[in-house]
């Protein structure tokens, strides 16, 4: 395997979507974690549903609609300022601690993001986090008007980077995305940040599952879709060694 480009999912892979919990808790004390998990689940669902319905709206619209759904479903009242303050966090998500150093260690490869995020969201996020200094491209599925894991979305990698799928290593912590990329024909490394053993322990330690544990059970465990990633790692920091092993 010759890897010429390493392409990353953004949300949940390079950027911690759970970092919105601080602002949701500040806006709605006692509801922050619940809002955070329902919001993310609906955000993903709306991207898939709109793809299936062929009624595309970009990710910024989906992010706003899924937050509106969440607050309405919980019976929470809010004003425009509160709503916009929560939404703005998606332009300032926290990088995972090992993200920047890992990308800098792989700078001899073409480095890019392929994300469901809309161009305005992604460009602001990348700039605000400083990743614009190390990325060769930030690619939004908006160019195809359909969301991952649709195969059409992954074709953007070759179109933009001019690197064929066989020479690309795609990185995602989202199981559905890792499966979609593998089904398309990319080399795939899945970041397993939550192991089944950790899930089992979390479940036995609590009679009532907290929202974050339920989210992890639904969205962090490998899906049964008939495809599996080529590599299973536990953090971005493992990627430079993975690439190095293929040069030796």
């Amino acid at each position: 395997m010759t890897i010429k480009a390493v392409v990353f999912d953004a949300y949940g892979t390079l950027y911690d979507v759970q970092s919105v919990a601080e602002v949701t808790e500040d806006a709605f004390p006692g509801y922050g974690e619940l809002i955070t998990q329902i919001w993310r689940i609906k955000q993903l669902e709306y991207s898939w549903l709109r793809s299936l319905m062929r009624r595309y709206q970009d990710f910024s619209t989906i992010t706003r609609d899924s937050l509106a759904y969440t607050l309405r479903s919980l019976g929470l009242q809010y004003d425009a300022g509160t709503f916009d303050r929560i939404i703005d966090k998606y332009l300032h998500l926290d990088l995972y601690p090992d993200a920047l150093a890992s990308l800098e260690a792989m700078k001899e490869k073409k480095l890019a993001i392929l994300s469901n995020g809309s161009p305005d969201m992604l460009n602001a996020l990348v700039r605000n986090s400083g990743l614009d200094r190390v990325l060769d491209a930030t690619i939004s599925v908006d160019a195809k008007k359909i969301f991952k894991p649709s195969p059409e979305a992954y074709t953007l990698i070759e179109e933009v980077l001019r690197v064929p799928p066989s020479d690309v290593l795609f990185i995602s912590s989202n199981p559905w995305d890792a499966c979609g990329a593998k089904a398309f024909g990319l080399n795939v490394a899945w970041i397993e940040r939550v192991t089944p053993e950790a899930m089992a322990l979390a479940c036995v330690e609590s009679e009532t599952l907290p929202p974050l544990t339920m989210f992890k059970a639904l969205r962090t465990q490998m899906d049964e879709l008939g495809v599996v990633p080529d590599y299973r790692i536990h953090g971005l920091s493992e990627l430079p060694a993975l690439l190095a092993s293929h040069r030796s």
Side-chain angles (χ1 to χ4, degrees):
M1 181 178 67
T2 301
I3 295 300
K4 297 179 180 177
V6 184
V7 180
F8 299 84
D9 170 55
Y11 302 118
T13 299
L14 293 174
Y15 297 96
D16 185 2
V17 294
Q18 297 298 326
S19 62
V20 304
E22 182 177 351
V23 69
T24 57
E25 179 63 25
D26 181 67
F28 299 98
Y31 287 88
E33 185 179 341
L34 186 58
I35 293 169
T36 298
Q37 308 319 323
I38 297 176
W39 184 15
R40 177 59 174 163
I41 288 170
K42 296 306 292 188
Q43 185 189 53
L44 291 171
E45 286 182 359
Y46 282 177
S47 71
W48 302 330
L49 288 170
R50 284 196 167 276
S51 292
L52 288 168
M53 295 163 64
R54 299 184 182 179
R55 295 178 64 88
Y56 179 84
Q57 293 287 337
D58 72 19
F59 203 66
S60 61
T61 300
I62 281 179
T63 299
R64 297 182 71 88
D65 288 349
S66 55
L67 178 59
Y69 168 94
T70 300
L71 299 179
R72 174 174 54 80
S73 70
L74 295 175
L76 298 172
Q77 303 298 314
Y78 58 91
D79 56 27
T82 299
F83 190 90
D84 289 341
R85 187 167 69 253
I86 297 173
I87 287 289
D88 185 67
K89 181 60 180 178
Y90 253 87
L91 306 183
H92 301 85
L93 292 173
D94 296 351
L95 274 174
Y96 279 101
D98 54 353
L100 182 57
S102 298
L103 268 65
E104 288 177 336
M106 297 182 289
K107 60 184 178 182
E108 78 279 6
K109 306 292 184 182
K110 287 186 176 181
L111 301 176
I113 282 174
L114 173 67
S115 174
N116 281 341
S118 56
D120 57 336
M121 292 177 71
L122 289 174
N123 290 336
L125 180 60
V126 167
R127 182 177 61 253
N128 291 336
S129 64
L131 286 193
D132 56 332
R133 301 193 304 269
V134 294
L135 290 172
D136 295 292
T138 301
I139 308 168
S140 169
V141 302
D142 192 62
K144 294 292 185 181
K145 299 294 188 288
I146 194 166
F147 294 104
K148 296 185 293 179
S150 169
E152 289 88 342
Y154 300 103
T155 65
L156 285 164
I157 294 174
E158 184 170 10
E159 291 180 14
V160 174
L161 299 181
R162 297 292 186 255
V163 178
S166 59
D167 293 341
V168 174
L169 181 63
F170 183 79
I171 316 299
S172 184
S173 67
N174 293 296
W176 54 268
D177 192 19
C179 290
K182 185 59 188 175
F184 175 74
L186 297 167
N187 303 292
V188 178
W190 171 53
I191 304 177
E192 183 186 31
R193 288 202 171 96
V194 183
T195 66
E197 292 77 15
M199 282 302 311
L201 183 61
C203 290
V204 299
E205 286 182 341
S206 178
E207 292 184 3
T208 303
L209 292 183
L212 180 56
T213 302
M214 182 59 72
F215 175 84
K216 289 178 178 178
L218 291 172
R219 291 288 178 257
T220 69
Q221 303 302 293
M222 181 47 60
D223 288 306
E224 300 290 340
L225 292 171
V227 290
V228 293
D230 301 281
Y231 307 99
R232 181 178 299 207
I233 59 177
H234 296 95
L236 292 162
S237 61
E238 296 178 30
L239 283 172
L242 176 61
L243 285 178
S245 70
H246 289 282
R247 292 197 294 265
S248 59

